[in-house]
Amino acid sequence: MLKKKLLKQARGIEKADKVFKNAIYVDVFNERLMESDIAVADGIIIGVGDYQAEEEIDLSGKIVIPGLIDAHLHLESSMTNVDHFARAVIPKGTTTIVADPHEIANVAGLTGIKYLLQAGKAQAWNFNLMLPSCVPASEFEHSGAELKAADLKTLIGEEGIFGLGEVMNYPAVINGESEIWSKIEMAAELFKDGHAPGLLGKDLNAYLLAGIAADHEATTAAEALEKISKGMYIMIREGSVTRDLVSLLPAVNSSNSSRFLFATDDRHPGDLIDEGQIDFAVRKAVQYGLSPLRAIKMATINAAEALGIKKLGAVAPGYRADLLVLDNLRNFEVEKVYKDGKLVAENGTLLKSIDDQISLTQDNFSSKEIEEKIFNSVKIGNISEKDFKLPPAKKYRVIELIKEQVVTGESFYQTESEYKTEPLSIELIGHNLVKLAVVERHYRTGNVGLGLLRNFGLRRGAVATSIGHDAHNIIVAGLAAKDMELAVREIEKMQGGLAIVVDGIVEETLALPVAGLMALKPVKEVASRLNKMRELANNLGVNRDGPFMTLSFMALTVIPKLKLTDSGLFDVNKFENVELVIE
């Protein structure tokens, strides 16, 4: 970012375009506060010192810090479109994001990636989109797409395409399997993101030969320290499902703090509204003993350097003028957000009209391919009520929910009587069981995987969602087969969403027409509807704060132990399908 034409402004011989007068800014390199004017021209900082400008903004001792960077997230987890997500997070100070679109890519392939890329580039932030490395996540279920290295390569060079998304299949990496290595080699010159929970020792050594730079899956200080010792950066993840900040902070010290940064991974609507985003991670880190200056450094320059983004993340000459104005570091409440020196948000509001930017509405995308793959992505085959009835048996295999974990266990259910049909609902309730089904929704196969789930708590009705990591087939939990089928039908009618059905009546829904993953409503409205649906689910007996979130992980075949896909029960440890009926 060479700017020869700005030399005279930088030297103070000519007036700058804009000067923030009387600022107290955070020097992230030395972790200290400095009092100075900040001069800006052509969207970059041209100097700190005593400056004059055509436009002068007196900050009267307010604190200025660089814009915050979220190093790894999935936009789809916000359950709203990109435009509304931007309206929620930019006013909170996030001016740079690195998004992995593997959720929408598992539904719509390259079309989904291009769709998010178009919408993301239209917002007032630095938008970086990763090429998902694992689509599909598993060969044991029906995903909406399969992306090989040759497919991903067609997007390299597109504005906004940044790197290779989290490499989750680390066994394939360390065993040298050709498919994943072809993607790694294809992205040789790009940033490569890691996903290697618990991977240590010689296997970690092998994994790092792939040039993977960072990991957001470390959950203990010991794991973080080993990975740092081998050259990795550690993204301290503070999401909605997985919150690792408190357990990882003890690993941060003066010698290694430059190797830590923040990421949200999955942040859901209610948490975005109630807590925030990267700003929340900074506040929480300070609450648990990290100095505010170090926390800001981790959220800015550390992230930029880990990601390899030059001239971003500092208040210094030549750096992008992405600046936040705060009243103090104690509360860390963002008052104003400047992107490239221009005011884009103030007092929690993004300063643009609803028509200023492209949003993820059907009207903005006239492509027949997008219409078919994004807005008509739910294609249910020939199913009926009988598909949601258990086969008669004496003993069944059961998925065992574990409190506050996405890891599941395996248990068994012995019936109290010999049934010629499925066990009675009242008996299932007595054993704290519900039926669980996964319905294929990409190719009209009519596949329905059926199982039993313990500890969900539901005593009436059915709860269903089209968010089902990572293939995103429809997942429904219930007791009456009729209610379960109706809930699936309702999701088909909405072209994706959440539904609660009780005694044959659709009680509550939330439409997610963007690939069955995202709404076309503001984050606050989505959060409000989710709260209402959660309360209803709890009234029906569900004992989980996030019933839909819980269900969404029941089909994820890369997390132990027992999961359910549209092809049936799957033992993750054995990596094979297993039978529902034992005897």
Side-chain angles (χ1 to χ4, degrees):
M1 195 184 290
L2 302 177
K3 294 286 185 178
K4 182 179 178 181
K5 66 178 182 177
L6 301 178
L7 293 175
K8 289 185 179 179
Q9 291 188 48
R11 295 176 66 195
I13 297 172
E14 293 180 357
K15 286 186 176 181
D17 293 351
K18 182 181 291 183
V19 169
F20 297 93
K21 303 288 288 185
N22 304 312
I24 299 174
Y25 74 89
V26 174
D27 170 5
V28 293
F29 301 110
N30 291 297
E31 295 185 23
R32 62 180 180 176
L33 292 173
M34 301 287 288
E35 293 186 50
S36 175
D37 297 341
I38 303 168
V40 172
D42 275 14
I44 68 169
I45 298 164
I46 60 169
V48 292
D50 183 15
Y51 282 92
Q52 284 74 46
E54 301 297 332
E55 180 185 358
E56 295 186 352
I57 301 169
D58 187 359
L59 295 183
S60 302
K62 298 277 187 180
I63 294 173
V64 177
I65 69 169
L68 307 177
I69 300 172
D70 191 336
H72 171 77
L73 78 155
H74 303 285
L75 287 162
E76 303 94 320
S77 296
S78 70
M79 296 174 66
T80 189
N81 64 37
V82 174
D83 186 72
H84 287 304
F85 178 80
R87 290 174 184 275
V89 305
I90 293 174
K92 295 179 183 296
T94 299
T95 56
T96 300
I97 69 167
V98 180
D100 186 334
H102 77 218
E103 309 294 359
I104 198 169
N106 266 289
V107 175
L110 289 179
T111 304
I113 299 172
K114 293 174 183 177
Y115 181 69
L116 286 192
L117 185 62
Q118 181 179 353
K121 289 191 300 185
Q123 308 302 325
W125 55 21
N126 304 312
F127 184 72
N128 305 283
L129 198 66
M130 306 295 276
L131 297 172
S133 66
C134 297
V135 176
S138 165
E139 62 186 34
F140 294 91
E141 56 192 323
H142 287 89
S143 179
E146 181 179 7
L147 294 179
K148 296 186 177 295
D151 302 314
L152 299 174
K153 191 174 182 178
T154 63
L155 293 177
I156 290 182
E158 291 259 353
E159 180 189 354
I161 295 297
F162 184 72
L164 186 65
E166 53 181 322
V167 183
M168 296 187 288
N169 194 353
Y170 62 82
V173 175
I174 65 178
N175 287 312
E177 294 181 14
S178 59
E179 181 57 39
I180 189 65
W181 270 93
S182 64
K183 294 175 183 177
I184 290 166
E185 290 161 354
M186 173 270 302
E189 303 304 316
L190 303 178
F191 175 80
K192 290 177 280 296
D193 198 7
H195 176 116
L199 192 66
L200 301 169
K202 292 179 180 177
D203 283 347
L204 176 60
N205 297 343
Y207 185 70
L208 295 181
L209 294 184
I212 292 164
D215 188 23
H216 58 273
E217 290 289 339
T219 58
T220 67
E223 180 181 353
L225 289 171
E226 178 171 345
K227 286 178 173 175
I228 285 174
S229 75
K230 293 181 177 178
M232 294 192 89
Y233 286 92
I234 294 297
M235 298 178 184
I236 296 179
R237 175 175 53 187
E238 191 65 15
S240 290
V241 180
T242 41
R243 298 175 180 251
D244 302 315
L245 187 147
V246 174
S247 61
L248 291 180
L249 274 187
V252 181
N253 58 52
S254 297
S255 299
N256 67 13
S257 65
S258 63
R259 308 299 291 186
F260 287 93
L261 53 151
F262 292 116
T264 59
D265 199 3
D266 295 298
R267 202 94 174 111
H268 298 147
D271 292 330
L272 284 174
I273 296 298
D274 297 338
E275 296 177 341
Q277 208 227 10
I278 293 296
D279 60 313
F280 173 70
V282 172
R283 280 193 297 274
K284 187 169 180 177
V286 173
Q287 177 188 349
Y288 279 86
L290 198 66
S291 79
L293 299 178
R294 182 159 293 172
I296 290 166
K297 180 179 181 179
M298 287 163 55
T300 57
I301 192 65
N302 282 13
E305 291 183 344
L307 296 164
I309 305 176
K310 298 184 182 300
K311 298 301 180 182
L312 186 71
V315 181
Y319 282 73
R320 297 188 76 151
D322 297 351
L323 303 170
L324 312 182
V325 179
L326 297 81
D327 184 54
N328 61 73
L329 296 180
R330 184 177 60 257
N331 298 329
F332 203 81
E333 296 292 339
V334 177
E335 295 183 356
K336 295 182 179 182
V337 179
Y338 290 85
K339 179 74 189 72
D340 299 324
K342 297 178 181 178
L343 183 66
V344 296
E346 186 172 12
N347 297 324
T349 301
L350 196 61
L351 303 179
K352 65 175 186 178
S353 73
I354 194 72
D355 300 319
D356 281 344
Q357 308 287 353
I358 295 173
S359 60
L360 289 183
T361 63
Q362 230 160 326
D363 296 338
N364 292 122
F365 298 89
S366 57
S367 160
K368 183 176 288 188
E369 183 180 19
I370 285 178
E371 176 72 22
E372 177 67 17
K373 291 190 175 183
I374 302 294
F375 288 100
N376 290 289
S377 67
V378 179
K379 304 175 181 71
I380 303 297
N382 185 23
I383 64 170
S384 66
E385 184 178 330
K386 68 180 181 181
D387 291 311
F388 302 93
K389 292 185 177 181
L390 294 168
K394 295 179 180 178
K395 188 176 182 181
Y396 299 89
R397 197 182 310 270
V398 173
I399 299 172
E400 189 91 10
L401 279 176
I402 300 172
K403 188 176 181 181
E404 296 180 352
Q405 292 189 35
V406 294
V407 172
T408 56
E410 179 183 8
S411 62
F412 302 94
Y413 159 52
Q414 185 83 43
T415 59
E416 296 176 9
S417 304
E418 283 201 30
Y419 294 103
K420 293 184 179 180
T421 58
E422 67 176 357
L424 299 174
S425 293
I426 192 168
E427 183 175 323
L428 294 179
I429 293 169
H431 287 265
N432 200 9
L433 296 169
V434 294
K435 290 183 287 185
L436 186 70
V438 175
V439 181
E440 192 279 318
R441 62 102 158 181
H442 301 292
Y443 306 106
R444 296 189 175 92
T445 64
N447 280 14
V448 179
L450 194 60
L452 284 165
L453 181 67
R454 178 172 275 128
N455 297 330
F456 190 61
L458 185 70
R459 300 175 69 84
R460 291 176 60 208
V463 179
T465 174
S466 58
I467 301 174
H469 302 295
D470 274 331
H472 297 294
N473 290 306
I474 294 174
I475 302 176
V476 56
L479 292 160
K482 180 180 179 182
D483 285 349
M484 294 174 74
E485 184 198 5
L486 181 56
V488 172
R489 296 291 186 195
E490 188 65 21
I491 287 177
E492 181 183 30
K493 187 194 314 183
M494 295 186 292
Q495 278 303 297
L498 316 177
I500 298 178
V501 174
V502 182
D503 298 332
I505 298 172
V506 178
E507 294 286 353
E508 286 290 345
T509 62
L510 171 63
L512 303 174
V514 182
L517 304 173
M518 294 178 281
L520 294 170
K521 300 179 183 299
V523 174
K524 191 172 184 178
E525 187 174 335
V526 174
S528 177
R529 179 60 66 88
L530 278 172
N531 283 337
K532 186 175 182 181
M533 296 186 77
R534 185 187 67 227
E535 289 175 6
L536 175 57
N538 291 156
N539 288 338
L540 294 171
V542 175
N543 54 22
R544 304 274 157 165
D545 285 338
F548 299 102
M549 179 177 66
T550 298
L551 291 181
S552 73
F553 284 98
M554 292 304 101
L556 188 54
T557 56
V558 295
I559 296 182
K561 161 139 185 339
L562 192 61
K563 293 295 189 288
L564 180 68
T565 76
D566 66 299
S567 298
L569 286 171
F570 186 79
D571 188 316
V572 180
N573 294 345
K574 295 178 181 177
F575 222 60
E576 63 183 23
N577 286 105
V578 293
E579 295 297 325
L580 168 63
V581 173
I582 305 299
E583 60 182 69

